[in-house]
Amino acid sequence: PKRPKTLVRVACCACVDGAGRVLLVRRPAGLLAGTWALPTVELEAGADANRAARVAVREAGATPGRLVGRGAVRHVFTHRDVTAEVFRADAAPRRVRDGQATRRWLPPEALDTVGISSFARKTLRLALGAQGITGKRSKQDNAAGRS
């Protein structure tokens, strides 16, 4: 018999700077490694999603303003059932030592030009509305075989 999927809860935040650009971070090892997504953190049972999203934003190199809850997105992977609590905040970029290797500020119309997963597309659409997110796979997604 199939093993049940692991239930996972995460918090993520769409940070928008004064020029209207959105902060994306490159996922390190693990699920969806190498793709770009909103700053995200996995939540422990009973954790405050707002507080956790604020920490994820700071770790990604931005100073968030007030976080506004945009709702939740559910995405089922082969072995994980993930629910993302999605927030949006105005944010100011901070200097980080790694330069731009693991983070990018992109205008909404350029979000389809980087490799993002369908899960990241769902969170971006909820956080930003239809602004810049077409739901189509980018050239990088197609070349890497990502969805």
Side-chain angles (χ1 to χ4, degrees):
K2 281 185 170 180
R3 285 189 349 193
K5 292 177 181 5
T6 303
L7 297 176
V8 179
R9 188 171 150 242
V10 300
C12 60
C13 184
C15 301
V16 181
D17 71 4
R21 300 175 305 166
V22 179
L23 175 62
L24 296 181
V25 294
R26 186 181 296 254
R27 291 184 178 273
L31 187 65
L32 304 174
T35 61
W36 293 88
L38 297 174
T40 302
V41 65
E42 192 167 326
L43 299 170
E44 299 291 326
D48 180 342
N50 186 299
R51 180 169 292 162
R54 186 171 292 282
V55 169
V57 170
R58 285 193 192 107
E59 289 177 356
T63 302
R66 185 174 71 88
L67 271 64
V68 177
R70 302 292 292 191
V73 169
R74 182 173 175 230
H75 191 86
V76 180
F77 295 91
T78 56
H79 59 289
R80 297 176 83 182
D81 185 340
V82 180
T83 299
E85 302 286 333
V86 180
F87 297 88
R88 185 184 188 285
D90 292 333
R94 288 187 294 119
R95 269 185 85 114
V96 292
R97 292 183 186 198
D98 73 348
Q100 297 297 314
T102 60
R103 69 185 183 112
R104 289 185 182 174
W105 289 89
L106 294 173
E109 61 273 10
L111 293 173
D112 282 331
T113 66
V114 296
I116 59 176
S117 68
S118 57
F119 173 64
R121 287 180 199 289
K122 286 180 179 180
T123 61
L124 282 160
R125 271 195 296 272
L126 181 58
L128 304 175
Q131 182 182 22
I133 306 299
T134 65
K136 297 177 185 173
R137 290 167 43 122
S138 71
K139 290 178 185 175
Q140 288 86 350
D141 288 339
N142 289 330
R146 297 183 191 119
S147 61

